[in-house]
Amino acid sequence: AAIADRIRGLDPQAAALELLLGAIADEAGRTAAAERHLHAFVARAEPGPMRTEALLRLGRIALTRRDPAAAVAPLLHALAEQGNRADRARAVVLLAEALDGSGDLDGAIAMLGAAVLASPLTGEVEDNAVWLALIAAYDRDERPSASLELIERLKQTLGTDYALRLSTALDEIPPAPLAAAWYERALAYETGELFGQARAAWVTYLGLGPSARYRASMPARVGSGHRRGG
């Protein structure tokens, strides 16, 4: 509150004030306040990097509080604003989770597939995050041949650093909610043949309870650490 008062004293009319207050509230875990300030900023701001950041935050907040339907609109707007490469990747990864969580896994796969086709595989963090999200979506949809094809192509690009570079992508462009991030991390370890780490990650995923929506398929994976259909 003291920081907010000082900011208001500097320029009470600044539109960016709402973004800053929203970011502060978000980092502090004050979800309702964060959403209020971020929505106020989005309503006033012109398209641009700051508005994209606010939209991405609103999408992530909705996913974190397990309301994927509320995440879809801001993330669609964030993607439509055509921000920088990192912001586009964040929007795609989060929107895929929002669509899947809303019961539209096919829509998530179609959107991720279009994103993969739209840019060549370079091995950069942004590509790795989107490719892993699509691999995870195919995995959830029990389409092992489709996921395996992507895994092999990604391994050809990333080489022996495959699991490490996917883990880095998850650190820099994490899915939401937390269960989605652990699912993808476990999958990265599993497909990278780091089976001990994969098993530990699947156990963590299972421990997240109802938010681990695909936990019904986990017992065999936790027991073996090996990828379904692989």
Side-chain angles (χ1 to χ4, degrees):
I3 294 174
D5 289 341
R6 291 178 66 181
I7 295 170
R8 288 190 181 96
L10 292 173
D11 186 355
Q13 302 302 318
L17 170 63
E18 297 290 356
L19 174 59
L20 184 55
L21 292 176
I24 291 170
D26 184 18
E27 297 299 328
R30 296 168 51 235
T31 300
E35 288 185 310
R36 184 175 67 254
H37 288 300
L38 292 170
H39 277 299
F41 174 76
V42 168
R44 297 172 60 189
E46 296 293 328
M50 290 178 20
R51 190 171 187 270
T52 301
E53 179 186 345
L55 290 164
L56 289 170
R57 280 187 180 270
L58 284 168
R60 176 173 289 281
I61 289 169
L63 286 168
T64 300
R65 60 179 171 80
R66 295 173 59 191
D67 188 0
V72 172
L75 293 172
L76 281 171
H77 286 303
L79 189 57
E81 294 204 349
Q82 294 295 314
N84 61 46
R85 196 156 174 255
D87 284 345
R88 288 197 304 273
R90 290 184 177 92
V92 167
V93 167
L94 293 175
L95 182 56
E97 292 299 332
L99 292 171
D100 182 12
S102 300
D104 189 10
L105 180 56
D106 287 343
I109 289 172
M111 188 267 301
L112 287 165
V116 163
L117 289 173
S119 61
L121 178 59
T122 64
E124 297 298 323
V125 163
E126 296 84 1
D127 290 334
N128 297 344
V130 174
W131 276 63
L132 179 57
L134 181 54
I135 289 167
Y138 279 139
D139 187 77
R140 292 166 180 167
D141 202 32
E142 299 187 351
R143 295 166 61 181
S145 59
S147 62
L148 185 59
E149 179 183 350
L150 292 179
I151 290 162
E152 293 304 322
R153 290 175 62 189
L154 198 52
K155 283 184 174 180
Q156 289 174 7
T157 298
L158 303 183
T160 56
D161 290 336
Y162 170 88
L164 175 61
R165 291 173 72 176
L166 290 186
S167 183
T168 298
L170 285 168
D171 290 338
E172 296 195 21
I173 304 179
L178 185 60
W182 275 107
Y183 189 105
E184 291 195 19
R185 193 173 296 278
L187 196 60
Y189 289 142
E190 191 177 87
T191 57
E193 301 183 10
L194 300 175
F195 298 121
Q197 293 96 317
R199 183 180 184 280
W202 288 127
V203 168
T204 301
Y205 174 80
L206 279 172
L208 296 173
S211 63
R213 295 184 300 108
Y214 292 91
R215 61 190 180 279
S217 65
M218 290 303 110
R221 303 181 88 152
V222 170
S224 69
H226 286 68
R227 191 175 66 84
R228 256 190 336 232

